[in-house]
């Protein structure tokens, strides 16, 4: 089974779980400290990749994991995780307590955007997680990694109202989930990720400003990988979000799908002007759901 694991200093592993069977789409992280933890699990269909990577590192039991938020590309495999590892528990926003044991509502909400057929094929069906395997997070809660190292949960809404980021002060790494946006391999810029129903610029910028006050060395993104130069990337994300909102705001009469086509074309032009190579542009464009972005922005503008 294919694997792509990168070891960083301070016992942090980045594991590509080959979301939708593609490389560079979804990273999970494993902090192999005295008391280890897994961050994110990925969708159900990625679970076999995650397990084979962990096993290749000699990790045959994972006691606990932390999920950034309740979107299915991040938590689809949680039910598999608690089934595979005895006594495994998962840290997550309190809404997890409502949705993980009964994931039908999450499934329906996402099917309405992607279609059920697409979801089954690409992310896979989800299994329920028993209530007793769920630990709800509190803002600024410190999760001990052993040896006086902590992972701090920081509530970070804006992309989703149930979003936490996780800060490892010891390494200066902030596990961002989707709070920043997308950085696909070889891109050193951030592409916004602003889905409905929760995207809200003011709330997201407050979160990013709060996170900017931390002493940061690295940002670890779900989509995708660990990046240095954190403060520049946060600034870059904010600027891109502003211009995307402006762009959509200037197209009030277009349908969502027509606006999505215009947005896509405009982005390709912008990336080309910036001198970005074709492969990188294709990677961003082919792996983005522009209509969802349009809906997220319009929903924000109308609230
Ligand atoms: Zn995501």
């Amino acid at each position: 089974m294919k694997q792509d694991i990168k070891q960083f200093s301070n016992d942090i592993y980045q594991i590509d779980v080959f979301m939708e069977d593609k490389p560079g789409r979804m990273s999970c992280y494993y902090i192999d400290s005295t008391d280890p933890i897994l961050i994110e699990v990925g969708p159900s269909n990625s679970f076999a990749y995650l397990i084979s990577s962990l096993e290749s590192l000699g990790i045959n039991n994972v006691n606990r994991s932390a999920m950034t938020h309740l979107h299915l590309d991040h938590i689809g495999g949680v039910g598999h995780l608690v089934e595979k590892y005895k006594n495994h528990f998962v840290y997550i926003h309190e809404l997890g307590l409502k949705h993980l044991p009964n994931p039908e509502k999450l499934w329906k909400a996402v099917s309405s955007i992607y279609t059920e057929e697409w979801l089954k094929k690409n992310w896979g069906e989800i299994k329920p997680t028993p209530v007793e395997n769920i630990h709800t997070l509190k803002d600024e809660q410190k999760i001990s990694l052993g040896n006086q190292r902590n992972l701090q949960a920081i509530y970070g809404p804006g992309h989703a109202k149930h979003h936490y980021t996780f800060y490892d002060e010891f390494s200066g790494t902030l596990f961002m989930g989707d709070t920043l946006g997308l950085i696909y391999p070889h891109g050193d810029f951030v592409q916004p990720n602003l889905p409905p129903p929760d995207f809200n610029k003011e709330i997201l910028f407050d979160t990013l400003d709060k996170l900017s006050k931390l002493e940061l060395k690295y940002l670890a993104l779900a989509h995708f990988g660990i990046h240095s130069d954190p403060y520049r990337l946060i600034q870059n994300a904010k600027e891109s979000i502003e211009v995307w909102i402006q762009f959509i705001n200037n197209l009030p009469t277009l349908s969502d799908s027509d606006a999505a086509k215009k947005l896509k074309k405009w982005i390709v032009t912008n990336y080309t002007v910036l001198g970005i190579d074709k492969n990188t542009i294709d990677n961003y464009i082919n792996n983005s759901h522009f209509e969802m972005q349009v809906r997220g922005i319009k929903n924000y503008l109308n609230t």
Side-chain angles (χ1 to χ4, degrees):
M1 186 168 267
K2 59 188 171 186
Q3 286 175 354
D4 186 2
I5 305 166
K6 285 198 173 67
Q7 183 178 8
F8 289 80
S9 54
N10 302 306
D11 303 312
I12 296 173
Y13 292 92
Q14 173 194 307
I15 300 169
D16 189 337
V17 295
F18 299 100
M19 184 164 86
E20 297 160 25
D21 253 320
K22 296 177 196 162
R25 294 295 317 286
M26 174 81 201
S27 350
C28 297
Y29 298 97
Y30 187 79
I31 307 179
D32 198 14
S33 55
T34 313
D35 288 331
I37 194 163
L38 173 72
I39 299 175
E40 317 273 38
V41 60
S44 305
N45 282 356
S46 290
F47 190 66
Y49 291 121
L50 174 68
I51 295 305
S52 95
S53 291
L54 288 169
E55 286 177 355
S56 79
L57 295 169
I59 298 156
N60 296 307
N61 188 29
V62 179
N63 287 324
R64 58 194 187 149
S65 55
M67 302 295 144
T68 57
H69 62 302
L70 276 154
H71 289 163
L72 288 193
D73 50 332
H74 297 252
I75 54 99
V78 170
H80 294 69
L81 205 54
V82 300
E83 191 180 74
K84 163 109 183 147
Y85 299 123
K86 206 167 167 263
N87 301 325
H88 182 96
F89 66 86
V90 51
Y91 291 104
I92 194 160
H93 182 275
E94 63 185 3
L95 274 175
L97 213 47
K98 181 178 165 198
H99 290 296
L100 292 184
N102 305 292
E104 299 81 16
K105 204 176 156 194
L106 287 177
W107 179 262
K108 269 207 179 113
V110 187
S111 323
S112 71
I113 296 172
Y114 288 95
T115 78
E116 192 157 352
E117 197 187 356
W118 187 96
L119 259 189
K120 275 187 189 162
K121 179 171 174 279
N122 290 288
W123 291 0
E125 292 191 60
I126 38 184
K127 291 182 178 175
T129 303
V131 170
E132 55 271 25
N133 297 84
I134 301 169
H135 284 208
T136 58
L137 289 163
K138 286 197 173 61
D139 192 16
E140 298 188 8
Q141 178 177 345
K142 285 186 174 172
I143 299 167
S144 172
L145 301 175
N147 233 348
Q148 296 178 347
R149 181 175 178 180
N150 288 308
L151 189 68
Q152 191 176 13
I154 302 172
Y155 181 54
H159 171 83
K161 66 182 177 193
H162 37 74
H163 204 302
Y164 272 90
T165 60
F166 299 103
Y167 177 50
D168 172 28
E169 190 180 359
F170 182 76
S171 66
T173 308
L174 180 63
F175 297 89
M176 288 295 265
D178 288 351
T179 300
L180 188 76
L182 313 167
I183 303 180
Y184 287 134
H186 312 302
D188 63 347
F189 56 97
V190 184
Q191 180 168 295
N193 188 2
L194 317 172
D198 289 346
F199 163 63
N200 179 294
K201 186 186 86 173
E202 282 72 29
I203 294 173
L204 182 59
F205 280 20
D206 281 352
T207 293
L208 291 171
D209 291 344
K210 179 170 83 168
L211 297 173
S212 298
K213 295 196 176 85
L214 299 167
E215 242 178 79
L216 301 174
K217 285 196 189 127
Y218 304 103
L219 299 181
L221 277 68
H223 319 290
F224 177 95
I226 295 186
H227 301 266
S228 51
D229 215 355
Y231 302 101
R232 179 184 69 79
L233 291 174
I234 290 172
Q235 191 52 35
N236 180 242
K238 289 171 74 175
E239 287 163 11
S240 305
I241 292 166
E242 290 281 13
V243 294
W244 278 40
I245 292 172
Q246 213 46 55
F247 186 84
I248 297 303
N249 200 25
N250 288 336
L251 306 170
T253 54
L254 287 190
S255 69
D256 293 352
S257 74
D258 285 345
K261 279 180 205 141
K262 272 215 186 293
L263 176 67
K264 182 171 159 182
K265 207 171 155 204
W266 174 70
I267 291 162
V268 172
T269 308
N270 288 350
Y271 288 172
T272 310
V273 170
L274 283 171
I276 295 157
D277 68 277
K278 194 178 173 307
N279 279 347
T280 304
I281 295 177
D282 287 349
N283 199 13
Y284 276 94
I285 297 301
N286 297 336
N287 294 311
S288 300
H289 194 306
F290 288 107
E291 195 167 327
M292 188 168 74
Q293 303 299 315
V294 169
R295 283 192 227 162
I297 293 169
K298 282 189 178 175
N299 181 58
Y300 157 70
L301 289 169
N302 293 330
T303 47

